[in-house]
Amino acid sequence: MDLGIAGKWALVCGASKGLGFGCAKALAQEGVNLIINARNPEALEAARAELQVLAPTAQVLAVAADITTEAGRKSVLTVEGGPGLDLDILVTNAGGPPPGDFRDWDREAWIKAVDANMLTPIELIRAVVDGMAERGFGRIVNITSSAVKAPIDILGLSNGARSGLTGFVAGLARSSIAARGVTVNNLLPGKFDTDRLRTTFQAASNKSGKSLEQVRELQQALVPAGRFGTPDEFGAICAFLCSRHAGYLTGQNILPDGGMYPGAY
Ligand SMILES: NC(=O)c1ccc[n+]([C@@H]2O[C@H](COP(=O)([O-])OP(=O)(O)OC[C@H]3O[C@@H](n4cnc5c(N)ncnc54)[C@H](OP(=O)(O)O)[C@@H]3O)[C@@H](O)[C@H]2O)c1
């Protein structure tokens, strides 16, 4: 299926690896011009080079910056050779907040989580959404977490901050932008095989005394699909949400999780 977005400009945050890279890869394969972002410049440049090979005729720009800071967002949105604020596609993403016990989190920990996982996507959306509406086309996808639908106690910072974003997006998606070609959706990953998942398993292994392989097997057994998802599978869903064909799909929380969420709705 031709997604009909070749030549559009997309910003994909947190895209040097993992789910963000999966999204950038799927968009590159559609001939979308890309700005990719992450903090580590070497890993980001390696990702940029890989994407450029997949999309030889597209422009692939990389901006190493912390997207959770105002200066970082500014450098990404004003990169030379890019479209400025005239983006067609925005995929928001950054690292998730650390797990823990809410009794140990002070105001500063909460502000940091809200900044990274709620206010950063909102600030990025604010910068580009009206331009998208004026041009009559826009696709915004926020990478959040299955924890928004099925909260996990030790991920309280994530449950809270991302739920704030989800509530905001529900209102924005149904506002006047809906009739002007702009869609806003959230993608809620379940368990995907990325460095973040591996780090979580390592921590669980250290804590429980079980081997890393045992932890992996136990976690995998919880997924009805019997395996973890891949960044490529995640990216393909993201690219479809960004496509011409998904213009009637907005304000949704899409849950790729191999069947883990137990509810019918
Ligand atoms: N994988 C899963 O199963 C899963 C499940 C639920 C939710 N999630 C959420 O999905 C998001 C992506 O997860 P992932 O598994 O793809 O993680 P990952 O493999 O660790 O990749 C995270 C990416 O984001 C970049 N990044 C992190 N913090 C950033 C920042 N402040 N500014 C710019 N770039 C930043 C990282 O590069 P640098 O470190 O170089 O910046 C990297 O490119 C996270 O929010 C995670 O909590 C993942």
Side-chain angles (χ1 to χ4, degrees):
M1 186 193 283
D2 176 1
L3 297 188
I5 47 177
K8 299 277 186 201
W9 268 101
L11 164 61
V12 186
C13 306
S16 63
K17 60 180 181 174
L19 303 180
F21 182 75
C23 296
K25 190 174 161 188
L27 292 170
Q29 283 163 336
E30 290 298 317
V32 172
N33 296 310
L34 286 168
I35 304 168
I36 59 165
N37 152 259
R39 290 164 303 179
N40 180 301
E42 287 83 29
L44 186 66
E45 176 48 32
R48 196 205 65 77
E50 202 177 327
L51 293 168
Q52 189 69 80
V53 171
L54 291 173
T57 57
Q59 298 194 58
V60 186
L61 308 176
V63 185
D66 183 342
I67 200 68
T68 68
T69 66
E70 203 177 325
R73 288 190 289 277
K74 192 172 174 202
S75 64
V76 166
L77 291 170
T78 57
V79 58
E80 205 182 316
L85 298 181
D86 291 349
L87 284 171
D88 306 298
I89 295 166
L90 168 65
V91 180
T92 74
N93 180 35
D101 185 325
F102 91 96
R103 292 164 190 83
D104 300 326
W105 296 329
D106 56 13
R107 180 178 160 77
E108 203 182 320
W110 276 104
I111 295 294
K112 204 170 166 205
V114 168
D115 239 344
N117 298 106
M118 178 181 171
L119 298 180
T120 291
I122 291 173
E123 282 291 292
L124 288 166
I125 292 169
R126 183 161 78 104
V128 301
V129 73
D130 289 337
M132 289 176 171
E134 271 164 35
R135 294 187 302 280
F137 180 91
R139 298 285 185 264
I140 299 170
V141 177
N142 302 298
I143 300 180
T144 65
S145 173
S146 60
V148 172
K149 278 198 84 151
I152 302 163
D153 63 346
I154 57 164
L155 294 180
L157 289 170
S158 172
N159 303 337
R162 295 190 205 269
S163 292
L165 175 66
T166 306
F168 166 75
V169 162
L172 174 70
R174 294 164 177 86
S175 72
S176 62
I177 63 166
R180 301 176 75 194
V182 182
T183 68
V184 195
N185 293 290
N186 303 316
L187 256 180
L188 286 57
K191 292 180 190 297
F192 279 81
D193 208 353
T194 67
D195 280 357
R196 175 162 167 103
L197 198 71
R198 286 185 276 277
T199 308
T200 316
F201 290 171
Q202 188 61 60
S205 159
N206 296 346
K207 200 170 165 191
S208 65
K210 294 189 175 78
S211 72
L212 191 57
E213 206 36 54
Q214 278 175 312
V215 173
R216 251 188 100 82
E217 276 169 20
L218 285 169
Q219 288 290 322
Q220 203 157 270
L222 299 174
V223 186
R227 64 177 179 84
F228 303 124
T230 69
D232 281 359
E233 289 175 308
F234 190 86
I237 301 169
C238 178
F240 178 74
L241 289 175
C242 296
S243 76
R244 286 261 170 221
H245 311 295
Y248 205 54
L249 180 63
T250 194
Q252 300 303 306
N253 289 287
I254 315 282
L255 184 59
D257 72 347
M260 245 193 113
Y261 178 72
Y265 306 103

